[in-house]
Amino acid sequence: MNKSIMIQENGLSVSFHIREDGVVELNGLHPVQDNVKTKIQEDPEIISPLLEVQVTGKSTRAMHAYKHNFSSASLDFHYVEHKLERWEKGKELQINLQTEYGMQAVYHMKFFDGVPVVQVWTQLSNQGAEEIGLEYVSSFIYRELCNNGSLPYGEKTDIYTPLNGWGCEAQWKKDDIRNLNLPGMTVDGFNMPGFGNNRYCYGGRSSWSSCEYLPMGLIHDRETGESYCFQIEHSGQWLVEYGTEPGARLYLALSGPTEAENGWWKNLKPGETFTTVPAAFGVVQGDISKAVAVLTAYRRKIRRPNADDEKLNVVFNDYMNCLMGDPTDERERMIIDKAAEMGCEYYCLDCGWYDKGYWWDRVGEWIECPQRFPNGLKSICEYAKSKNMVMGLWLEIEVMGVACELASKLPDDWFICRHGRRHIDNKRYLLDFRNPEVRKYCSDVVERLIRDYGVGYFKIDYNVTMGYGSDLYTDSCSDAIMEHYRCLYQWYEDLFARHPELVVENCGSGGQRMDYGMLRLLSLQSTSDQTDYIYNSYIAANVASAVTPEQAGMWVYPYEDEEEHVIYNMVNGLLLRPYISGMVWKLSENSIRLMQEGIALYKDIREDVKEAVPFFPLGFGNIRQDALAYGLRREDTVYLSVFAPKTQDVKIPLAFGKEIGRVEVIYPGKANCEYKYGNGILSVHMPREKTARLFKLTLK
């Protein structure tokens, strides 16, 4: 056969090679340019199949240790046909593959107009007579990373690992690849095969997709200037794996759960189909900021169209550094007045509205607490509406507390179970959305709250993890997590079909479930539970790498009545999606005026925020840095947040390919800082430490 499939779309050059034996290889995915190396002659000693599929009862191809790049079943898939067709937002490539024992595969690669990022997934179907056990299936594998240029990958590759944690989200770590147990020593060694068995990997272990890492990554080739970006679009378990390949090559493998890491196993019966979780991969000529920019554009392409991400409504939420889950009728009315005075458009009553006292282990029925609201919760909702704000409520819809009376009356198969018992996490049972009765109950709850209270916004939280998953009605506990999420996604799709204007915020103890499985459906993401405004700026300076700016809910929650404190809080949110909160009853008239000014400015610039792409002129921020900078650019308009948590003097290199015509501070209106631009450097002298300013730059 020995033929090629060559595609050039949206600045990407993608090449596939079909070997004589029918095995398909992805051997090039580069920016369109003249000097890219593309392998056109097959090497009988080096085989790079398009898929990696580990089948129970089949061997690996060679010594591999824990790596997932040498499955023998991967060579069983042979080319049948391919087609490239137009779809709504671009083109889609489908490559059909088949084995002799009846397993078929359809490899999908979607292209999006104007964006050098592809979305990839594979469907496997068993058309044979025997059951087939699946232990690993790649969503995407690319074995030619940093293979352009003259230097080997080990001498020029930077890997960016997206560390994530509770209260310290989106904290990137940059490493030379030689510091990640991939030193390249086997590449040049005498009489060595050109690869090692070691790998560098990270992933999601349970139902908090971003508990330890974000399901994404970035790579930079220092020699060629190319930067790669990728993400895995799933809320459960996932794996990112780097390793070495024969021929002195570097590979990246992206997948959902695996047997080795997560205990995942799927028994594919005759006639059944399995679909991998989607993954995205892109490459650009440029730095990491440019890679994040194209990933941002891609995320906007795959996201459910919704009015909220077009308008960017300003939300007041009564939780963080405010009522902290202890609402009452009197307190809510007082804070609603303040929210309306500041110019907020949505008001979200956070946790605690459904019970008195210690409510944590009694959640699940979602009925208002009359002791907290003697006039009824509806009167609070109507009061917010009378102030021209849409009313919102907090829910943790996927759980029931262990002390919830309803939970004791329900059958076990409503819940995540293992070893004959309900799984309990953080004093909650976890509802299993694979059960249609669960989905109906949760729909009924939401419909009642919309109908009876006029709710137009839900903050849906998730403060639990389900461990390995459920062992009810499944081939493996891990597969139950995957199916739970697929059913949850469908539940949201059905909800939005009934209520297209409904706004839903995704929260998982802040940013512990921050992924584009959820965010392709939900318009907002709570980015953190961090309560310290200075620490929060280290998240604000980075989080647009993980979430589009208009989806990145960032707390603006002053808890001191001091001018620079209020300004710093506001700058945290102005180039993202500000969640207004804080101890507003403590704020003086001047502080309220600063809040009003910031919210009014946000309304003026939010048309730019929803279209602009992020950049990071000082690199990604980390807690060791004295100064931070994060910006958005839309054509010739640039906004730049400058934070000085530990210094008064900040110097920021700026390069846009155009001259900067004007530099001005736009928040606060009274700049009260010194600044000048020259020789590509913006120099800022702040009045003191712990200050921040928002700049606007106009390009010529």
Side-chain angles (χ1 to χ4, degrees), residues 323-508:
L323 295 183
M324 301 294 284
D326 191 17
T328 65
D329 185 291
E330 181 181 7
R331 292 170 182 167
E332 292 297 337
R333 291 176 189 273
M334 178 266 293
I335 296 173
I336 286 171
D337 287 342
K338 292 288 187 181
E341 179 185 352
M342 288 186 287
C344 298
E345 296 159 308
Y346 277 60
Y347 186 86
C348 183
L349 197 166
D350 209 284
C351 54
W353 58 269
Y354 34 75
D355 210 341
K356 61 182 179 180
Y358 180 76
W359 46 261
W360 186 266
D361 60 0
R362 296 198 298 273
V363 297
E365 296 194 58
W366 311 113
I367 297 171
E368 66 188 88
C369 173
Q371 288 86 351
R372 291 184 181 274
F373 303 101
N375 299 313
L377 182 59
K378 186 175 182 179
S379 69
I380 294 295
C381 299
E382 290 176 344
Y383 189 68
K385 186 176 181 181
S386 74
K387 300 289 184 176
N388 297 315
M389 290 187 292
V390 177
M391 186 65 188
L393 289 177
W394 180 95
L395 284 177
E396 194 167 350
I397 198 68
E398 294 166 72
V399 306
M400 285 188 181
V402 294
C404 174
E405 292 184 7
L406 177 60
S408 65
K409 302 173 184 177
L410 294 170
D412 284 346
D413 67 1
W414 273 52
F415 303 96
I416 299 298
C417 293
R418 285 197 299 277
H419 315 303
R421 306 292 289 271
R422 296 180 185 182
H423 174 65
I424 300 173
D425 190 66
N426 206 5
K427 302 183 178 67
R428 275 92 176 270
Y429 301 125
L430 283 67
L431 291 170
D432 190 339
F433 268 62
R434 295 178 301 159
N435 187 329
E437 293 181 357
V438 168
R439 300 195 296 273
K440 182 182 184 305
Y441 172 76
C442 293
S443 293
D444 289 345
V445 168
V446 170
E447 294 295 335
R448 171 173 55 82
L449 295 173
I450 293 172
R451 180 187 66 245
D452 293 353
Y453 301 105
V455 172
Y457 179 107
F458 287 104
K459 175 181 178 178
I460 296 193
D461 211 340
Y462 189 68
N463 293 296
V464 292
T465 58
M466 59 175 75
Y468 272 8
S470 177
D471 60 13
L472 292 180
Y473 317 128
T474 184
D475 295 327
S476 62
C477 294
S478 186
D479 197 54
I481 296 180
M482 180 183 288
E483 291 305 315
H484 165 86
Y485 273 118
R486 286 176 166 162
C487 290
L488 178 64
Y489 298 156
Q490 186 60 54
W491 182 80
Y492 276 119
E493 289 178 3
D494 295 342
L495 175 62
F496 290 125
R498 299 192 303 271
H499 302 283
E501 298 303 311
L502 183 67
V503 178
V504 177
E505 171 191 342
N506 182 44
C507 183

Side-chain angles (χ1 to χ4, degrees), residues 36 85 144 159 299 317 432 435 466 509 652:
V36 167
E85 295 181 333
E144 303 284 345
I159 301 292
R299 288 163 172 167
N317 178 291
D432 190 339
N435 187 329
M466 59 175 75
S509 291
I652 304 168

Side-chain angles (χ1 to χ4, degrees), residues 402-648:
V402 294
C404 174
E405 292 184 7
L406 177 60
S408 65
K409 302 173 184 177
L410 294 170
D412 284 346
D413 67 1
W414 273 52
F415 303 96
I416 299 298
C417 293
R418 285 197 299 277
H419 315 303
R421 306 292 289 271
R422 296 180 185 182
H423 174 65
I424 300 173
D425 190 66
N426 206 5
K427 302 183 178 67
R428 275 92 176 270
Y429 301 125
L430 283 67
L431 291 170
D432 190 339
F433 268 62
R434 295 178 301 159
N435 187 329
E437 293 181 357
V438 168
R439 300 195 296 273
K440 182 182 184 305
Y441 172 76
C442 293
S443 293
D444 289 345
V445 168
V446 170
E447 294 295 335
R448 171 173 55 82
L449 295 173
I450 293 172
R451 180 187 66 245
D452 293 353
Y453 301 105
V455 172
Y457 179 107
F458 287 104
K459 175 181 178 178
I460 296 193
D461 211 340
Y462 189 68
N463 293 296
V464 292
T465 58
M466 59 175 75
Y468 272 8
S470 177
D471 60 13
L472 292 180
Y473 317 128
T474 184
D475 295 327
S476 62
C477 294
S478 186
D479 197 54
I481 296 180
M482 180 183 288
E483 291 305 315
H484 165 86
Y485 273 118
R486 286 176 166 162
C487 290
L488 178 64
Y489 298 156
Q490 186 60 54
W491 182 80
Y492 276 119
E493 289 178 3
D494 295 342
L495 175 62
F496 290 125
R498 299 192 303 271
H499 302 283
E501 298 303 311
L502 183 67
V503 178
V504 177
E505 171 191 342
N506 182 44
C507 183
S509 291
Q512 305 306 285
R513 191 163 65 169
M514 188 156 53
D515 63 76
Y516 270 83
M518 298 295 283
L519 288 170
R520 70 177 179 85
L521 296 169
L522 308 186
S523 62
L524 276 163
Q525 171 69 50
S526 177
T527 56
S528 187
D529 275 355
Q530 177 57 249
T531 59
D532 183 280
Y533 77 111
I534 298 295
Y535 288 153
N536 211 29
S537 65
Y538 287 90
I539 300 167
N542 291 346
V543 78
S545 62
V547 185
T548 64
E550 65 273 20
Q551 288 179 285
M554 175 55 56
W555 290 111
V556 176
Y557 47 25
Y559 45 91
E560 296 175 9
D561 187 22
E562 192 274 326
E563 186 170 287
E564 292 294 350
H565 174 93
V566 174
I567 293 168
Y568 200 115
N569 266 280
M570 184 58 72
V571 175
N572 278 345
L574 281 174
L575 297 187
L576 298 165
R577 188 69 173 278
Y579 286 167
I580 310 300
S581 193
M583 298 182 182
V584 292
W585 57 88
K586 291 176 59 174
L587 299 184
S588 64
E589 184 176 324
N590 182 59
S591 292
I592 292 292
R593 181 192 60 77
L594 283 169
M595 297 289 285
Q596 291 170 328
E597 178 189 339
I599 291 169
L601 174 67
Y602 185 76
K603 291 177 181 179
D604 287 341
I605 69 172
R606 59 187 171 186
E607 282 295 315
D608 287 333
V609 171
K610 74 176 185 181
E611 299 286 345
V613 292
F615 66 96
F616 310 89
L618 296 178
F620 294 126
N622 64 71
I623 198 65
R624 295 179 295 277
Q625 290 179 212
D626 295 338
L628 306 166
Y630 152 64
L632 290 177
R633 179 182 178 182
R634 183 187 184 192
E635 298 176 345
D636 290 341
T637 299
V638 177
Y639 300 100
L640 183 66
S641 295
V642 177
F643 306 93
K646 304 176 186 176
T647 185
Q648 285 184 261

Side-chain angles (χ1 to χ4, degrees), residues 37 146-156 221 223:
K37 296 189 301 185
C146 299
N147 200 24
N148 195 21
S150 59
L151 294 175
Y153 69 82
E155 296 180 20
K156 62 177 184 175
D221 184 326
E223 179 193 10

